[in-house]
Amino acid sequence: MADVVRKPTIVDVARAARVSTATVSRVLNGRRVTDPELVRRVQQAAEQLRYRPSGTARSLKAGVTRLVGVVVPDLANPSFSELLRGLADAAGGYGHRLLVADSKERQDEERTLIHELAPRCDGLVLCSPRLPLEDLARLTAGPLVCTNRDVGGLSISSAGVDSYAGMTEVVRHLAALGHRHLGYLAGPPTSWSDAERQRALGDAAAALRLRVTVARAGSTSEDGHAALPELLAAGVSAVVAFNDLVAIGGLARLRERGLTVPGDVSLTGFDDIPVAQFLDPPLTTVRLPNEEVGRQAWALLREQLRQSGRHGAVRLAARLVARASTGTAPGGR
Amino acid sequence: MADVVRKPTIVDVARAARVSTATVSRVLNGRRVTDPELVRRVQQAAEQLRYRPSGTARSLKAGVTRLVGVVVPDLANPSFSELLRGLADAAGGYGHRLLVADSKERQDEERTLIHELAPRCDGLVLCSPRLPLEDLARLTAGPLVCTNRDVGGLSISSAGVDSYAGMTEVVRHLAALGHRHLGYLAGPPTSWSDAERQRALGDAAAALRLRVTVARAGSTSEDGHAALPELLAAGVSAVVAFNDLVAIGGLARLRERGLTVPGDVSLTGFDDIPVAQFLDPPLTTVRLPNEEVGRQAWALLREQLRQSGRHGAVRLAARLVARASTGTAPGGR
DNA sequence: GTGAAAGCGCTAACAC
DNA sequence: GTGTTAGCGCTTTCAC
């Protein structure tokens, strides 16, 4: 009448080794057990039964899960993959694993996921959350870190990149090359990073007396490819893309139109994804330390895990990487 | 003497609402509770205490975690991101979440992660595991699915892409264009997918009486960029890359050398990552349904979750996408 | 030094 | 219909 499928528990091991469950626990956790005979019996029984202690039971007993919940708008977006890698590595160093979920850029899904993940984790990292601030405010139950997102005056930790400064550099770079009319291929409407970049673009352009035309694109190459003609029609001499992927789509469209880069039109991206430097021409872009953002997110979460209420904000520098996709404006000086 | 930090438990809610814990549980789980007054009291108490049921306790009671452990060699690799997305989506539809870990292409790390994740999940998905077959065989404890990996005669489910057929198509395509000497930019040495592609390349080339030169590259654009000269020195007329990223690096190197594609040299990738079609020239490659592999992995895992021991194998078709990076061989007919 | 037993937070039989 | 209670698998006092 042996249960064939049931996983062996500590009781089974104890019975097989003819010791108490306490002893099994002690042996398996390296606590002091003097009698070598008992140690041997326990190890042998555990081995033979292929016993694995239940992580759930351990978590319940310990009161912590050693799990970090992560909500991402799009798992397939390279920027988030990099962030995830940094986060996984940093948290892993402290024995914490990642419970990852994809919100597919949808606010309702994001809300649902947050509520579902929170009770199963020690803390949450929300990557570029699309949720409005007031919703975020209601979440202040457990340890929480937001990345690349303004958290207003809320007592929420945040880690991110200084998109504003990065974009300012881009505009200055283009202005110095004589461009007077810039086109912007905008990102997802709910993205705070996009709002931030657009704000920097507007401010810097105003200060330098540049014209700006904005076309709604998105976050993929298809989006950039589709939206670029609108900018061309407006007569821009330089195209600033929300990110590298969008820039790549724009670049393809420019080629289709028989336009050369940077001869006819200059082009910039944002992110400096690995392929950016291998494009033709190599893409002028802004390097974002996404992996480091992930690491910092963990550092901030850890602070809260150690002492609840300790929140902070980290803003990492983004710097312009000038390559060959930008050049002097056609009619410029 | 109120504990400020302690999270409220079901007992706290029961006390506050002056009912039993069973009633709290029933109300919160939508079980039948007739007295509307009780319902109201419970809801109010739960609300006010900001009560969240412990996921750990629920898991322990239920005997399942609703968690799927996933081990990936490199989180930042686009192919894995796509697979992850498909897996997350499919599993999410059944209320399961992903516990993701990055092995950084290291066998020992992979082994460690498997042993750490297994006891915390209902099942495991190993993406392109680098571990030798004999190690894999020892893991046959819980539900397990491997992706893009030969599992020999082991009773392990596997989902993957037919790289062999895909690569065979590539070689035939190039042979038809008159190429007689192919160069291969090989992937990571421990990758089974690479071995499979290389085998197909060898077989097809032999059948068509083509010469093949292999250069060790890797999985990144840098690797392709670095390894390409070796192939040029050998005098190949077409370069076949392990994947698109490697191909992009190779493409950049060809341009640096003043060579045109496909005029002087033809080039192919593998994966059809989103940017492939936007390159100059658009890359001839093999489309891999990575997201679908993720979905199938879940389907196979679910089979095992429903009935342990039910394993299967799914092999998805990969098809050649001929674009402009391949053309007739320079001296060819 | 080892075993017995309490208890982590929850759900579901069972009793009333 | 609601309350009482056992028990999920583990760790860790507390007795002996």
Side-chain angles (χ1 to χ4, degrees):
Chain A
M1 277 231 307
D3 283 15
V4 187
V5 285
R6 219 191 82 244
K7 279 186 214 154
T9 75
I10 198 169
V11 181
D12 300 316
V13 179
R15 193 160 17 221
R18 286 166 291 133
V19 297
S20 70
T21 59
T23 299
V24 175
S25 175
R26 283 193 272 257
V27 170
L28 267 31
N29 291 300
R31 297 270 174 289
R32 213 207 325 261
V33 173
T34 37
D35 191 339
E37 165 65 8
L38 291 192
V39 175
R40 200 192 55 74
R41 288 221 304 267
V42 169
Q43 284 172 340
Q44 191 187 326
E47 176 90 8
Q48 198 184 332
L49 292 168
R50 303 181 131 275
Y51 169 71
R52 301 274 168 228
S54 150
T56 309
R58 281 186 155 171
S59 291
L60 181 61
K61 183 68 194 170
V64 296
T65 61
R66 300 194 144 245
L67 246 35
V68 176
V70 189
V71 181
V72 202
D74 178 10
L75 266 175
N77 183 319
S79 328
F80 295 125
S81 303
E82 287 173 12
L83 192 156
L84 229 49
R85 201 214 243 164
L87 182 58
D89 192 47
Y94 289 86
H96 284 250
R97 299 298 164 199
L98 266 35
L99 212 166
V100 181
D102 186 335
S103 70
K104 300 173 193 168
E105 306 264 6
R106 283 167 35 198
Q107 293 194 8
D108 55 340
E109 184 74 10
E110 194 173 294
R111 208 182 335 255
T112 310
L113 288 173
I114 290 171
H115 285 108
E116 201 206 303
L117 297 195
R120 324 186 64 185
C121 305
D122 295 341
L124 240 40
V125 174
L126 307 183
C127 301
S128 309
R130 308 319 201 197
L131 242 33
L133 266 184
E134 49 267 38
D135 290 62
L136 249 30
R138 238 170 274 139
L139 268 38
T140 348
L144 176 66
V145 177
C146 289
T147 74
N148 289 316
R149 172 64 141 88
D150 169 47
V151 292
L154 298 175
S155 49
I156 293 178
S157 287
S158 71
V161 133
D162 194 348
S163 283
Y164 190 94
M167 184 55 93
T168 304
E169 276 197 70
V170 169
V171 177
R172 289 200 183 127
H173 171 69
L174 291 171
L177 291 169
H179 294 275
R180 314 298 303 164
H181 187 179
L182 274 33
Y184 183 57
L185 291 170
T190 54
S191 159
W192 180 76
S193 293
D194 181 68
E196 195 68 356
R197 289 170 205 180
Q198 214 162 318
R199 192 168 63 86
L201 178 60
D203 290 354
L208 296 162
R209 308 205 180 287
L210 267 39
R211 243 184 95 191
V212 173
T213 300
V214 176
R216 188 161 275 187
S219 59
T220 70
S221 299
E222 275 78 5
D223 297 330
H225 188 252
L228 193 110
E230 190 181 333
L231 262 25
L232 250 27
V236 307
S237 68
V239 171
V240 176
F242 164 64
N243 70 17
D244 290 347
L245 254 25
V246 170
I248 290 170
L251 179 60
R253 176 68 84 180
L254 289 169
R255 266 195 313 263
E256 286 169 22
R257 291 289 174 94
L259 265 18
T260 65
V261 175
D264 298 313
V265 178
S266 282
L267 177 69
T268 68
F270 222 96
D271 278 359
D272 196 21
I273 61 177
V275 304
Q277 62 175 305
F278 295 108
L279 296 173
D280 182 25
L283 191 65
T284 291
T285 184
V286 174
R287 173 156 317 153
L288 300 189
N290 289 317
E291 216 173 299
E292 184 58 21
V293 172
R295 291 183 188 286
Q296 293 296 330
W298 165 250
L300 287 165
L301 196 66
R302 203 169 100 86
E303 278 299 301
Q304 292 182 61
L305 258 24
R306 289 151 59 112
Q307 186 183 339
S308 95
R310 281 184 61 86
H311 56 271
V314 173
R315 178 60 75 99
L316 268 27
R319 67 162 233 279
L320 179 76
V321 181
R323 298 205 181 96
S325 70
T326 43
T328 53
R333 50 146 185 260
Chain B
M1 279 232 305
D3 284 15
V4 188
V5 286
R6 219 192 81 243
K7 280 186 212 153
T9 76
I10 199 169
V11 182
D12 300 316
V13 179
R15 191 158 21 217
R18 286 165 291 133
V19 296
S20 71
T21 60
T23 299
V24 176
S25 176
R26 281 194 273 258
V27 171
L28 268 30
N29 290 302
R31 297 272 174 289
R32 212 205 329 259
V33 173
T34 36
D35 191 338
E37 165 65 7
L38 291 192
V39 174
R40 200 192 54 74
R41 289 220 303 267
V42 169
Q43 285 172 338
Q44 192 187 326
E47 176 90 9
Q48 198 184 333
L49 293 168
R50 303 180 130 278
Y51 168 71
R52 302 274 170 229
S54 150
T56 309
R58 282 185 156 171
S59 291
L60 180 61
K61 180 71 193 162
V64 296
T65 60
R66 302 192 144 246
L67 246 35
V68 176
V70 189
V71 181
V72 202
D74 178 10
L75 266 175
N77 183 319
S79 328
F80 295 125
S81 302
E82 287 173 13
L83 192 156
L84 229 47
R85 201 213 244 162
L87 182 58
D89 192 47
Y94 288 87
H96 284 249
R97 300 297 163 198
L98 266 36
L99 212 165
V100 182
D102 186 333
S103 70
K104 301 174 193 167
E105 306 265 7
R106 282 166 35 197
Q107 292 195 7
D108 54 341
E109 184 74 9
E110 195 173 292
R111 209 183 334 254
T112 309
L113 288 173
I114 291 171
H115 284 108
E116 201 206 303
L117 296 195
R120 324 187 65 186
C121 305
D122 295 341
L124 241 39
V125 175
L126 307 183
C127 302
S128 309
R130 308 319 201 196
L131 242 35
L133 266 185
E134 50 266 39
D135 290 62
L136 249 30
R138 238 170 273 139
L139 267 37
T140 347
L144 176 65
V145 177
C146 288
T147 74
N148 290 315
R149 173 62 141 88
D150 169 47
V151 292
L154 298 174
S155 49
I156 293 178
S157 287
S158 71
V161 134
D162 194 348
S163 283
Y164 190 96
M167 185 56 93
T168 304
E169 277 197 68
V170 169
V171 177
R172 290 201 184 127
H173 171 69
L174 291 171
L177 290 169
H179 294 275
R180 315 298 305 165
H181 187 179
L182 274 31
Y184 182 59
L185 291 170
T190 54
S191 159
W192 179 76
S193 293
D194 181 68
E196 194 68 356
R197 288 170 205 181
Q198 214 161 317
R199 192 168 63 87
L201 178 60
D203 290 354
L208 296 162
R209 309 205 180 283
L210 267 40
R211 241 184 97 190
V212 173
T213 300
V214 175
R216 188 162 273 188
S219 58
T220 69
S221 299
E222 275 79 5
D223 297 330
H225 187 252
L228 193 110
E230 189 181 334
L231 261 25
L232 250 27
V236 306
S237 69
V239 171
V240 176
F242 165 64
N243 70 17
D244 290 348
L245 253 24
V246 170
I248 290 172
L251 179 59
R253 176 69 83 180
L254 289 170
R255 266 195 314 265
E256 286 169 22
R257 291 289 173 94
L259 265 19
T260 66
V261 175
D264 298 314
V265 179
S266 282
L267 177 69
T268 68
F270 223 95
D271 278 357
D272 196 21
I273 60 177
V275 305
Q277 62 174 306
F278 295 108
L279 295 173
D280 183 26
L283 191 65
T284 291
T285 185
V286 174
R287 172 154 321 151
L288 300 190
N290 289 318
E291 218 173 298
E292 185 59 21
V293 172
R295 291 183 189 287
Q296 293 297 330
W298 166 250
L300 288 165
L301 196 65
R302 202 170 100 86
E303 278 299 303
Q304 292 182 61
L305 258 24
R306 288 151 61 112
Q307 186 183 339
S308 97
R310 282 182 60 85
H311 56 271
V314 173
R315 178 61 74 102
L316 268 27
R319 68 163 232 280
L320 180 75
V321 180
R323 298 206 182 96
S325 71
T326 43
T328 53
R333 52 152 184 261

